[in-house]
Amino acid sequence: MKIGSGDPTARRFVGKDCVVTGGGGGIGRAVALRLAAEGGRVAVLDVNEEGARETLALCGGQGLAARMDVRSEADVTAVAADIEKAFGGVDVLVNNAGIEKLGTIVETAPDVWDEIMAVNLRGPYLCSRVFLPQLLARAAKGGAAVVHNASLMGQVSSPRLAAYCASKAGLISLTRSMALDFATKNLRVNCVCPGIVHTDMLERRFALKPDREAAYARVSQRPPVHYIGNPEDVAAAIAYLAADEARFVTGAALTIDGGVGAA
Ligand SMILES: NC(=O)c1ccc[n+]([C@@H]2O[C@H](COP(=O)([O-])OP(=O)(O)OC[C@H]3O[C@@H](n4cnc5c(N)ncnc54)[C@H](O)[C@@H]3O)[C@@H](O)[C@H]2O)c1
């Protein structure tokens, strides 16, 4: 096995079947591309079916793209059955789909709170639960991995981000619980905690500002490294945690934030 998380030619996922939720754009797309570049067969799942199809095409067309809402048990169950039929199992599950809404608890209406929890916390729980039999079957044959996309905002907090931070802190906790529950079954469970990453999610925040360029420049200075991360930075870390070379890593929350959390 060629080792090196910085090397997209390492081919660590040859013969591996991988699932990426929220793969229709942003970090999820970069993850799908990385896994495919390293030889993996990828199922790209998203509420945005067109985005998922675009990602699959960018991956070279091998694999599967489907509409799937991580909030819906019916959706996840149906898509998991399709994947079992098409792939015969799953070695790697990346629970990446997530949403962000700003607000203090006063500004966050109960239905908005519920929606954030449904996507960011219940989604990874539900997908993990439904894909578990397929993951455990592959785990028994040599190892399988779940990687959740949490956030630095699950480790620290930020004003007017109450529900998002709570959902991501919950996801870090779920990572630890799942890691312990399946440690002896050859199924590893880890999460990444990205800081500020340039995707549509961030652009939607900039869109709320009167001067987008000034906001971008200001935010770029926030990380000690003085730049904003890109989706590929997170994809590289997810690929490492998903790969067999991380066989001794489980229950970890890997921060990828240009040093923000260290300050
Ligand atoms: N961008 C950042 O700065 C940042 C920082 C830390 C963590 N994250 C996390 O990374 C993950 C990806 O974020 P991103 O920045 O790429 O966001 P994004 O908005 O660019 O992409 C998110 C993708 O998830 C999909 N999605 C949303 N709700 C869904 C649902 N219910 N079911 C299935 N798919 C759904 C969207 O259609 C979209 O394709 C999220 O979990 C986010 O919380 C992002």
Side-chain angles (χ1 to χ4, degrees):
M1 179 176 58
K2 207 167 159 189
I3 291 184
S5 60
D7 179 3
T9 65
R11 311 284 296 168
R12 292 170 295 182
F13 299 99
V14 170
K16 304 254 188 203
D17 292 308
C18 313
V19 170
V20 183
T21 73
I27 295 169
R29 172 168 290 177
V31 172
L33 286 167
R34 181 63 188 256
L35 298 175
E38 291 203 39
R41 181 164 58 173
V42 185
V44 185
L45 313 175
D46 204 297
V47 271
N48 172 6
E49 189 173 353
E50 201 184 319
R53 291 194 188 288
E54 274 172 24
T55 300
L56 186 67
L58 291 168
C59 288
Q62 295 295 315
L64 181 154
R67 187 198 176 278
M68 188 189 84
D69 186 336
V70 299
R71 294 172 297 184
S72 159
E73 189 174 359
D75 268 22
V76 177
T77 306
V79 168
D82 289 346
I83 290 173
E84 187 159 30
K85 214 183 260 174
F87 290 2
V90 174
D91 301 280
V92 172
L93 169 63
V94 180
N95 282 311
N96 164 78
I99 56 169
E100 179 196 68
K101 298 220 167 136
L102 294 176
T104 65
I105 60 160
V106 176
E107 294 161 333
T108 305
D111 60 326
V112 174
W113 175 275
D114 289 347
E115 189 194 352
I116 293 171
M117 292 298 162
V119 179
N120 293 3
L121 185 52
R122 188 177 181 275
Y125 142 78
L126 185 62
C127 293
S128 301
R129 191 168 191 277
V130 171
F131 280 101
L132 201 62
Q134 298 190 54
L135 286 161
L136 287 176
R138 291 292 173 93
K141 290 186 182 160
V146 175
V147 185
H148 301 302
N149 195 348
S151 174
L152 176 67
M153 290 301 114
Q155 299 176 310
V156 299
S157 208
S158 186
R160 300 193 58 238
L161 211 51
Y164 183 80
C165 292
S167 71
K168 295 297 189 178
L171 188 52
I172 294 169
S173 180
L174 180 68
T175 302
R176 296 190 185 116
S177 297
M178 288 175 58
L180 296 183
D181 289 341
F182 303 106
T184 59
K185 304 273 186 223
N186 249 355
L187 175 64
R188 297 179 301 101
V189 184
N190 294 287
C191 69
V192 291
C193 296
I196 308 159
V197 181
H198 196 195
T199 66
D200 287 352
M201 187 178 273
L202 189 63
E203 282 297 340
R204 284 192 288 274
R205 272 227 223 168
F206 289 144
L208 303 172
K209 309 280 180 194
D211 183 345
R212 189 249 169 222
E213 297 312 314
Y216 186 94
R218 209 170 40 248
V219 169
S220 301
Q221 290 307 300
R222 209 175 288 155
V225 296
H226 285 177
Y227 56 85
I228 293 174
N230 61 38
E232 290 74 21
D233 293 320
V234 183
I238 290 177
Y240 163 68
L241 291 170
D244 290 339
E245 67 182 316
R247 71 177 198 123
F248 198 48
V249 184
T250 196
L254 177 53
T255 307
I256 306 145
D257 68 345
V260 176

